[in-house]
Amino acid sequence: MTRYALLVRGINVGGKNKVVMAQLRQELTKLGLEKVETYINSGNIFFTSTDPKAQLVEKLETFFAVHYPFIQSFSLLSQEDYEAEVENLPAWWNEDLARKDVLFYTEGLDVEQVIEKVESLELKDEVVHFGRLGIFWGKFSEESYYATAYHKYLLKMPFYRNITIRNAKTFDKIGQMLKNNNEGDTQ
């Protein structure tokens, strides 16, 4: 039995693409996923399954196409994937930076192309780390934030609509929820 985090892009943001988390938990349970939980209302779903990851991806793609067609990209990571990523994070990730975000790669994304695009940017008072699950991006100062490549160019990048972003606090919570075995749902 493997514990997974399913990170969905672009739901319940700005009043668009509303998804009721309680209903989604029920639907995913009917799909055969076990111990389904959610964290906040922005597409962080946790479950356990014996299915191989490739089969889960296929099952979830079909499910979203039928029930939530506006959900076109998601990340699926196991507890093992998450823990391996944490072991390889750079020292700056644990420092007190102004902002830290993870740009999670979604299923089917051309990761090499994304890395190439980000590597071509001239960083301004910021730092990046290319992980296995996504790009870890730190911004050193609130004052310089609007001058960063992250702020100025990310939204315009062709891959932007195919990644899902979580801040450092949510990244940490994902780790906690992956270790959790359905001790209670959090909204």
Side-chain angles (χ1 to χ4, degrees):
M1 193 69 78
T2 303
R3 185 91 170 139
Y4 288 94
L6 171 63
L7 309 176
V8 179
R9 183 193 193 289
I11 63 170
N12 297 341
V13 178
K16 292 181 68 178
N17 300 331
K18 288 283 188 192
V19 176
V20 178
M21 291 295 116
Q23 180 180 334
L24 180 59
R25 285 193 302 270
Q26 288 179 333
E27 292 169 339
L28 291 173
T29 299
K30 288 179 187 171
L31 191 64
L33 308 181
E34 297 179 34
K35 299 180 181 176
V36 180
E37 298 178 275
T38 55
Y39 169 68
I40 62 178
N41 223 12
S42 58
N44 304 295
I45 303 134
F46 303 88
F47 63 88
T48 57
S49 179
T50 55
D51 291 343
K53 184 177 177 181
Q55 188 176 339
L56 283 170
V57 168
E58 192 175 300
K59 187 185 286 193
L60 289 164
E61 286 174 342
T62 302
F63 169 78
F64 288 132
V66 171
H67 297 281
Y68 300 96
F70 53 85
I71 296 176
Q72 297 181 357
S73 55
F74 61 85
S75 298
L76 183 63
L77 49 130
S78 69
Q79 181 177 353
E80 185 179 280
D81 294 337
Y82 179 92
E83 290 171 357
E85 188 79 291
V86 168
E87 290 295 316
N88 292 303
L89 289 176
W92 63 259
W93 183 256
N94 295 313
E95 294 173 11
D96 190 22
L97 276 60
R99 295 182 188 208
K100 295 184 284 189
D101 294 296
V102 184
L103 286 61
F104 283 98
Y105 307 132
T106 53
E107 297 300 321
L109 183 69
D110 184 343
V111 173
E112 287 181 22
Q113 183 183 49
V114 171
I115 291 172
E116 185 180 305
K117 292 281 186 197
V118 173
E119 283 180 328
S120 74
L121 297 174
E122 184 179 335
L123 300 182
K124 303 279 188 185
D125 203 25
E126 62 200 309
V127 63
V128 298
H129 166 74
F130 299 101
R132 290 179 56 232
L133 303 177
I135 300 171
F136 294 76
W137 208 314
K139 286 70 77 177
F140 290 105
S141 165
E142 281 295 331
E143 290 78 35
S144 66
Y145 174 71
Y146 294 104
T148 61
Y150 182 92
H151 176 74
K152 290 172 73 174
Y153 303 113
L154 183 61
L155 290 172
K156 300 172 190 160
M157 295 290 213
F159 64 82
Y160 178 76
R161 298 174 74 62
N162 298 308
I163 57 169
T164 187
I165 302 173
R166 301 297 187 273
N167 65 28
K169 180 181 174 189
T170 302
F171 178 77
D172 291 344
K173 186 65 177 181
I174 289 168
Q176 293 170 19
M177 297 291 289
L178 281 166
K179 289 178 185 169
N180 181 7
N181 261 336
N182 210 23
E183 295 168 4
D185 288 332
T186 306
Q187 264 303 328

